[in-house]
Amino acid sequence: MAKSERTLVMGVLNVTPDSFADGGRHFGFEKAITRAKEMLAEGVDIIDVGGESTRPGAERISSEIERDRVIPVVSELCALGATVSIDTTRAEIAGAAIAVGATIVNDISGGLADPKMAKLIADHPTIQFVVMHWRGESKNMQARATYTDVVQEVRNELSERVASLVDQGVNPEQLVLDPGIGFAKNSEHNWELLRNIDRIQLLGFPVLVGVSRKRFLGDLVGAENPDDREFATLAITTEMARRGVWAVRTHSVKPQLDAIKVVEELHQ
Ligand code: PMM
């Protein structure tokens, strides 16, 4: 488990033509590597490589397309010495990424989408596994945004995931939990989870939070363009760092790291 004094920055590297937040600007190997090098120069802690868009309503892509997009990028970044996380729900892609050096598997379904994922993680005990709260495919996930007590239900569903993974041989030390901001949640659900992030932390695992440039921030500050949600993202990073989350998953790196350093200095 990568332990750290401060909150880590996981930089998003979407190798997709249609990610909502960066407009697919980093599609293609060369563009992805160039962007990753920028992030490394800015001091990113982890690079999260993803080939499949998860925006609300997104259709799935084939595993062949996903593999062709992400594996060469993961391989190159690992050769450069970066700590690489693979953002996938497919065990086959996660396995291929581990084989070329990825050390973190970021599964937005927390192992639910692919029954082979738990065994893969159990078979690789040095790999960290991010278990995000998820209620089904992006295509129709917003129809599942129904809760009576969102924090309690997300806690319960994450705990069920942990129990199932541990049952299948995964070491609890491998696990990181993520409330899945924006996944089968409306704006108020997202805010309620962020206000109560300590209740997710109380489950006893490191916590990752991903709010970067998401729509609910745009709704609050009146920013239709994802790029204009950067300051709102930074405010949440600052607060999450103060609350001691393990990592934030963000598109920009330097502003987030600066904010985290400030929090660290203020609370030492
Ligand atoms: N959000 C997105 C993709 N992957 N992974 C984790 N663990 N947590 C998140 O909140 C998360 C994720 C969607 O955002 P993007 O399309 O900007 O990458």
Short mmCIF file of all heavy atoms in Angstrom, two decimals, residues 10 12 14 19-22 48 52-55 87 106-108 130-132 178 180-183 208-214 249 251, ligand 1:
data_model
loop_
_atom_site.label_atom_id
_atom_site.label_comp_id
_atom_site.label_asym_id
_atom_site.label_seq_id
_atom_site.Cartn_x
_atom_site.Cartn_y
_atom_site.Cartn_z
N MET A 10 -3.86 11.78 -8.19
CA MET A 10 -3.96 10.82 -9.28
C MET A 10 -4.40 11.60 -10.50
O MET A 10 -5.51 12.15 -10.54
CB MET A 10 -5.01 9.75 -8.91
CG MET A 10 -5.30 8.76 -10.01
SD MET A 10 -6.67 7.63 -9.58
CE MET A 10 -5.80 6.30 -8.79
N VAL A 12 -5.63 12.24 -14.25
CA VAL A 12 -6.47 11.51 -15.21
C VAL A 12 -5.83 11.56 -16.59
O VAL A 12 -5.51 12.64 -17.11
CB VAL A 12 -7.86 12.17 -15.31
CG1 VAL A 12 -8.73 11.45 -16.34
CG2 VAL A 12 -8.53 12.21 -13.95
N ASN A 14 -7.15 10.21 -19.96
CA ASN A 14 -8.19 9.52 -20.72
C ASN A 14 -7.72 9.32 -22.15
O ASN A 14 -7.56 10.28 -22.89
CB ASN A 14 -9.49 10.34 -20.72
CG ASN A 14 -10.23 10.25 -19.40
OD1 ASN A 14 -10.27 9.18 -18.79
ND2 ASN A 14 -10.81 11.35 -18.97
N SER A 19 -14.17 11.53 -23.93
CA SER A 19 -14.33 11.84 -22.51
C SER A 19 -14.92 13.24 -22.37
O SER A 19 -14.49 14.16 -23.05
CB SER A 19 -12.99 11.78 -21.79
OG SER A 19 -13.10 12.38 -20.52
N PHE A 20 -15.91 13.38 -21.48
CA PHE A 20 -16.61 14.67 -21.43
C PHE A 20 -15.71 15.81 -20.98
O PHE A 20 -15.87 16.94 -21.38
CB PHE A 20 -17.84 14.58 -20.50
CG PHE A 20 -17.52 14.64 -19.03
CD1 PHE A 20 -17.55 15.85 -18.35
CD2 PHE A 20 -17.18 13.50 -18.33
CE1 PHE A 20 -17.25 15.92 -17.00
CE2 PHE A 20 -16.87 13.57 -16.98
CZ PHE A 20 -16.90 14.77 -16.32
N ALA A 21 -14.72 15.50 -20.14
CA ALA A 21 -14.01 16.60 -19.49
C ALA A 21 -12.84 17.17 -20.30
O ALA A 21 -12.50 18.33 -20.14
CB ALA A 21 -13.52 16.17 -18.12
N ASP A 22 -12.21 16.36 -21.13
CA ASP A 22 -11.10 16.94 -21.89
C ASP A 22 -11.38 16.89 -23.40
O ASP A 22 -10.49 17.12 -24.20
CB ASP A 22 -9.76 16.29 -21.54
CG ASP A 22 -9.69 14.83 -21.93
OD1 ASP A 22 -10.58 14.39 -22.65
OD2 ASP A 22 -8.72 14.16 -21.52
N ASP A 48 -3.60 7.79 -13.94
CA ASP A 48 -4.73 6.88 -14.10
C ASP A 48 -5.09 6.81 -15.58
O ASP A 48 -5.67 7.75 -16.12
CB ASP A 48 -5.91 7.37 -13.27
CG ASP A 48 -7.04 6.37 -13.21
OD1 ASP A 48 -6.77 5.16 -13.07
OD2 ASP A 48 -8.21 6.79 -13.28
N GLU A 52 -11.96 3.91 -21.73
CA GLU A 52 -13.40 3.83 -21.97
C GLU A 52 -14.09 4.99 -21.27
O GLU A 52 -13.93 5.18 -20.07
CB GLU A 52 -13.92 2.50 -21.42
CG GLU A 52 -15.34 2.21 -21.81
CD GLU A 52 -15.77 0.77 -21.52
OE1 GLU A 52 -15.44 0.24 -20.45
OE2 GLU A 52 -16.46 0.19 -22.36
N SER A 53 -14.90 5.74 -22.01
CA SER A 53 -15.62 6.85 -21.39
C SER A 53 -16.69 6.33 -20.44
O SER A 53 -17.37 5.35 -20.74
CB SER A 53 -16.29 7.70 -22.48
OG SER A 53 -17.09 8.69 -21.85
N THR A 54 -16.81 6.99 -19.29
CA THR A 54 -17.80 6.56 -18.31
C THR A 54 -18.83 7.65 -18.07
O THR A 54 -19.57 7.59 -17.11
CB THR A 54 -17.12 6.23 -16.96
OG1 THR A 54 -16.30 7.34 -16.59
CG2 THR A 54 -16.28 4.98 -17.07
N ARG A 55 -18.85 8.65 -18.96
CA ARG A 55 -19.80 9.75 -18.72
C ARG A 55 -21.23 9.19 -18.77
O ARG A 55 -21.50 8.18 -19.46
CB ARG A 55 -19.61 10.84 -19.76
CG ARG A 55 -20.04 10.41 -21.13
CD ARG A 55 -19.86 11.48 -22.17
NE ARG A 55 -20.12 10.89 -23.47
CZ ARG A 55 -19.85 11.46 -24.61
NH1 ARG A 55 -19.28 12.63 -24.63
NH2 ARG A 55 -20.12 10.87 -25.75
N ASP A 87 -7.59 2.31 -15.32
CA ASP A 87 -9.01 2.56 -15.07
C ASP A 87 -9.80 1.66 -16.01
O ASP A 87 -9.99 1.97 -17.17
CB ASP A 87 -9.29 4.05 -15.35
CG ASP A 87 -10.71 4.48 -14.99
OD1 ASP A 87 -11.57 3.60 -14.77
OD2 ASP A 87 -10.95 5.69 -14.92
N ASN A 106 -7.96 0.55 -11.00
CA ASN A 106 -9.06 1.43 -10.63
C ASN A 106 -10.31 0.94 -11.35
O ASN A 106 -10.47 1.18 -12.54
CB ASN A 106 -8.71 2.87 -11.03
CG ASN A 106 -9.87 3.83 -10.79
OD1 ASN A 106 -10.75 3.57 -9.97
ND2 ASN A 106 -9.87 4.94 -11.52
N ASP A 107 -11.16 0.24 -10.61
CA ASP A 107 -12.34 -0.37 -11.22
C ASP A 107 -13.59 0.38 -10.74
O ASP A 107 -13.98 0.25 -9.58
CB ASP A 107 -12.40 -1.85 -10.82
CG ASP A 107 -13.60 -2.58 -11.40
OD1 ASP A 107 -14.48 -1.92 -11.99
OD2 ASP A 107 -13.64 -3.81 -11.26
N ILE A 108 -14.20 1.16 -11.65
CA ILE A 108 -15.37 1.95 -11.24
C ILE A 108 -16.52 1.06 -10.78
O ILE A 108 -17.43 1.51 -10.10
CB ILE A 108 -15.86 2.92 -12.34
CG1 ILE A 108 -16.29 2.16 -13.59
CG2 ILE A 108 -14.81 3.99 -12.64
CD1 ILE A 108 -17.22 2.95 -14.49
N VAL A 130 -8.82 -0.15 -6.42
CA VAL A 130 -9.77 0.90 -6.06
C VAL A 130 -11.18 0.38 -6.32
O VAL A 130 -11.55 0.03 -7.44
CB VAL A 130 -9.54 2.19 -6.89
CG1 VAL A 130 -10.58 3.25 -6.51
CG2 VAL A 130 -8.12 2.72 -6.68
N VAL A 131 -11.95 0.33 -5.24
CA VAL A 131 -13.33 -0.15 -5.28
C VAL A 131 -14.25 1.06 -5.26
O VAL A 131 -14.41 1.70 -4.23
CB VAL A 131 -13.63 -1.03 -4.05
CG1 VAL A 131 -15.08 -1.50 -4.05
CG2 VAL A 131 -12.66 -2.20 -3.99
N MET A 132 -14.80 1.39 -6.42
CA MET A 132 -15.70 2.54 -6.46
C MET A 132 -17.15 2.10 -6.27
O MET A 132 -17.53 1.00 -6.69
CB MET A 132 -15.54 3.29 -7.79
CG MET A 132 -16.07 4.71 -7.74
SD MET A 132 -16.17 5.50 -9.36
CE MET A 132 -17.71 4.79 -9.94
N ASP A 178 -13.91 4.30 -2.84
CA ASP A 178 -14.25 5.54 -3.54
C ASP A 178 -15.78 5.66 -3.57
O ASP A 178 -16.45 4.72 -4.00
CB ASP A 178 -13.66 5.46 -4.96
CG ASP A 178 -13.91 6.70 -5.80
OD1 ASP A 178 -14.90 7.40 -5.59
OD2 ASP A 178 -13.09 6.95 -6.72
N GLY A 180 -17.65 7.17 -5.53
CA GLY A 180 -18.21 7.18 -6.88
C GLY A 180 -19.05 8.42 -7.16
O GLY A 180 -20.21 8.33 -7.58
N ILE A 181 -18.43 9.57 -6.96
CA ILE A 181 -19.14 10.84 -7.18
C ILE A 181 -19.62 10.92 -8.64
O ILE A 181 -18.82 10.73 -9.57
CB ILE A 181 -18.22 12.03 -6.82
CG1 ILE A 181 -17.81 11.99 -5.33
CG2 ILE A 181 -18.87 13.37 -7.18
CD1 ILE A 181 -18.95 12.06 -4.33
N GLY A 182 -20.93 11.17 -8.81
CA GLY A 182 -21.50 11.30 -10.16
C GLY A 182 -21.97 9.99 -10.77
O GLY A 182 -22.56 10.00 -11.85
N PHE A 183 -21.72 8.88 -10.11
CA PHE A 183 -22.12 7.59 -10.66
C PHE A 183 -23.40 7.13 -9.94
O PHE A 183 -23.36 6.75 -8.77
CB PHE A 183 -21.01 6.55 -10.46
CG PHE A 183 -19.83 6.76 -11.37
CD1 PHE A 183 -18.83 7.66 -11.03
CD2 PHE A 183 -19.71 6.06 -12.57
CE1 PHE A 183 -17.73 7.87 -11.87
CE2 PHE A 183 -18.62 6.27 -13.41
CZ PHE A 183 -17.63 7.17 -13.06
N LEU A 208 -10.35 7.36 -1.98
CA LEU A 208 -10.07 8.15 -3.18
C LEU A 208 -11.34 8.92 -3.55
O LEU A 208 -12.43 8.36 -3.47
CB LEU A 208 -9.67 7.21 -4.33
CG LEU A 208 -9.56 7.79 -5.74
CD1 LEU A 208 -8.36 8.73 -5.85
CD2 LEU A 208 -9.42 6.67 -6.77
N VAL A 209 -11.17 10.19 -3.94
CA VAL A 209 -12.33 10.99 -4.33
C VAL A 209 -12.09 11.57 -5.73
O VAL A 209 -11.03 12.15 -6.00
CB VAL A 209 -12.58 12.13 -3.31
CG1 VAL A 209 -13.67 13.08 -3.80
CG2 VAL A 209 -12.97 11.56 -1.94
N GLY A 210 -13.09 11.40 -6.60
CA GLY A 210 -12.97 11.92 -7.97
C GLY A 210 -14.11 12.86 -8.31
O GLY A 210 -15.23 12.42 -8.58
N VAL A 211 -13.85 14.17 -8.24
CA VAL A 211 -14.89 15.15 -8.56
C VAL A 211 -14.51 15.99 -9.76
O VAL A 211 -15.31 16.80 -10.23
CB VAL A 211 -15.16 16.13 -7.38
CG1 VAL A 211 -15.59 15.37 -6.14
CG2 VAL A 211 -13.97 17.03 -7.11
N SER A 212 -13.29 15.81 -10.26
CA SER A 212 -12.70 16.75 -11.20
C SER A 212 -13.60 17.11 -12.38
O SER A 212 -13.95 16.25 -13.20
CB SER A 212 -11.38 16.17 -11.71
OG SER A 212 -10.65 17.13 -12.43
N ARG A 213 -13.96 18.38 -12.43
CA ARG A 213 -14.71 18.95 -13.56
C ARG A 213 -16.08 18.31 -13.80
O ARG A 213 -16.63 18.40 -14.90
CB ARG A 213 -13.88 18.89 -14.85
CG ARG A 213 -12.55 19.60 -14.72
CD ARG A 213 -11.72 19.57 -15.97
NE ARG A 213 -10.42 20.18 -15.73
CZ ARG A 213 -9.43 20.22 -16.62
NH1 ARG A 213 -9.60 19.71 -17.81
NH2 ARG A 213 -8.28 20.79 -16.33
N LYS A 214 -16.62 17.64 -12.78
CA LYS A 214 -17.90 16.96 -12.99
C LYS A 214 -19.07 17.94 -13.00
O LYS A 214 -18.99 19.05 -12.47
CB LYS A 214 -18.08 15.85 -11.94
CG LYS A 214 -17.17 14.64 -12.27
CD LYS A 214 -17.33 13.47 -11.34
CE LYS A 214 -16.40 12.35 -11.81
NZ LYS A 214 -16.31 11.23 -10.86
N ARG A 249 -8.58 12.28 -7.58
CA ARG A 249 -8.40 11.97 -9.00
C ARG A 249 -8.79 13.22 -9.78
O ARG A 249 -9.96 13.61 -9.76
CB ARG A 249 -9.28 10.77 -9.38
CG ARG A 249 -9.19 10.35 -10.83
CD ARG A 249 -10.13 9.17 -11.10
NE ARG A 249 -10.07 8.74 -12.49
CZ ARG A 249 -10.72 9.33 -13.48
NH1 ARG A 249 -11.47 10.38 -13.26
NH2 ARG A 249 -10.61 8.86 -14.71
N HIS A 251 -7.94 16.20 -13.23
CA HIS A 251 -7.37 16.43 -14.56
C HIS A 251 -6.14 17.32 -14.50
O HIS A 251 -5.17 17.09 -15.22
CB HIS A 251 -8.43 17.06 -15.48
CG HIS A 251 -9.56 16.13 -15.77
ND1 HIS A 251 -10.64 16.02 -14.92
CD2 HIS A 251 -9.77 15.24 -16.76
CE1 HIS A 251 -11.48 15.09 -15.39
NE2 HIS A 251 -10.96 14.61 -16.51
N1 PMM B 1 -14.65 9.16 -12.39
C1 PMM B 1 -14.52 8.95 -13.71
C2 PMM B 1 -13.74 7.87 -14.20
N2 PMM B 1 -13.10 7.05 -13.35
N3 PMM B 1 -12.55 6.41 -11.15
C3 PMM B 1 -12.67 6.59 -9.84
N4 PMM B 1 -12.04 5.75 -8.99
N5 PMM B 1 -13.43 7.59 -9.31
C4 PMM B 1 -14.10 8.48 -10.09
O1 PMM B 1 -14.80 9.36 -9.55
C5 PMM B 1 -14.01 8.32 -11.51
C6 PMM B 1 -13.21 7.25 -12.01
C7 PMM B 1 -15.23 9.84 -14.68
O2 PMM B 1 -14.52 10.99 -14.96
P1 PMM B 1 -13.66 11.26 -16.34
O3 PMM B 1 -14.54 10.89 -17.51
O4 PMM B 1 -13.35 12.70 -16.26
O5 PMM B 1 -12.43 10.42 -16.30
#
